Amino acid sequence: MIHNPNNIHTAGKPLEEATKVMIMVHGRGGSARDILSLSNYIQDKEFAFIAPEAQGNTWYPQSFLRPTTENEPYLSSALEVLTSLRARLQSDFNFKLPQIYWLGFSQGACLMLEFVARHATEYGGVFGLSGGLIGPDETPRTYEGSFDKTPIFLGCSDHDSHIPKKRVLESEAVFRQMGADVTTKLYPNFPHSINEDELNIVNLLVAGNRLSPAVT
């Protein structure tokens, strides 16, 4: 494995005491500590936060829109890290899948969204900030399983420098078809970043509020 599955950082409540856990996945050039700083904006204080760190701060070398073979073996290794992390949270800390939440930004959002699509089940929530499913336009989306009304939020600029609007909307359609309760919001001319409104929506969904199906 290229990425070290044991290179993880934590914040919030200790994993042994928390009733919920949020896996936070950083973007290209970022770090686990960077993405964990978002935990300060999560209002629910029952969370443990856990973030893996990519080898060289990058999960895979090419754009997420390139053929997946061009991002191997890094992409498979990165997906294995998330598989390992989810399994350890279940086996070592007894978290049930609906107690597990996912949040990612940019490359981390793409990786995380691709992982949950390949491992669809009822999670606590999935929050993809500036991200979309991985692969070129013609990629078959033959995922199996159901999200069983898992709340999924996709937030992105409508003219993002890395994430095409088209891919965000395609991802929304895939997740909705797989039984997720999807909220999508595209921010006019917003930079490739995270904004306060996105974090407010994350907090609303964590609190159990249901938003309008799609806001574009």
Side-chain angles (χ1 to χ4, degrees), residues 100-176:
I100 297 177
Y101 294 69
W102 300 86
L103 183 147
F105 171 66
S106 191
Q107 189 186 63
C110 298
L111 177 68
M112 179 275 292
L113 292 173
E114 184 66 29
F115 175 84
V116 298
R118 297 186 186 192
H119 301 83
T121 187
E122 181 186 1
Y123 295 109
V126 176
F127 313 118
L129 308 180
S130 301
L133 293 167
I134 290 175
D137 285 345
E138 64 273 18
T139 301
R141 302 299 179 188
T142 54
Y143 307 110
E144 297 181 354
S146 170
F147 284 102
D148 196 16
K149 299 189 181 303
T150 294
I152 292 183
F153 172 57
L154 303 175
C156 193
S157 169
D158 66 342
H159 287 89
D160 190 277
S161 54
H162 302 283
I163 313 297
K165 171 183 174 180
K166 176 183 176 183
R167 180 55 55 88
V168 177
L169 296 178
E170 177 192 357
S171 302
E172 173 196 10
V174 170
F175 288 129
R176 181 166 289 116

Side-chain angles (χ1 to χ4, degrees), residues 66-85:
R66 300 297 302 165
T68 54
T69 53
E70 296 184 14
N71 277 315
E72 294 295 4
Y74 299 88
L75 175 58
S76 290
S77 174
L79 291 168
E80 283 185 47
V81 168
L82 299 189
T83 300
S84 170
L85 190 53

Side-chain angles (χ1 to χ4, degrees), residues 4 10 14 29 34 48 50 58 71 76 100 104 109 126 131 148 154 165 189 194 204-205 213:
N4 180 0
T10 60
D34 289 341
I50 186 166
T58 300
N71 277 315
S76 290
I100 297 177
V126 176
D148 196 16
L154 303 175
K165 171 183 174 180
N189 299 312
I194 299 170
L204 286 170
L205 292 175

Side-chain angles (χ1 to χ4, degrees), residues 50-66:
I50 186 166
E53 186 158 294
Q55 177 69 27
N57 303 100
T58 300
W59 293 110
Y60 44 85
Q62 306 297 330
S63 164
F64 81 115
L65 300 171
R66 300 297 302 165

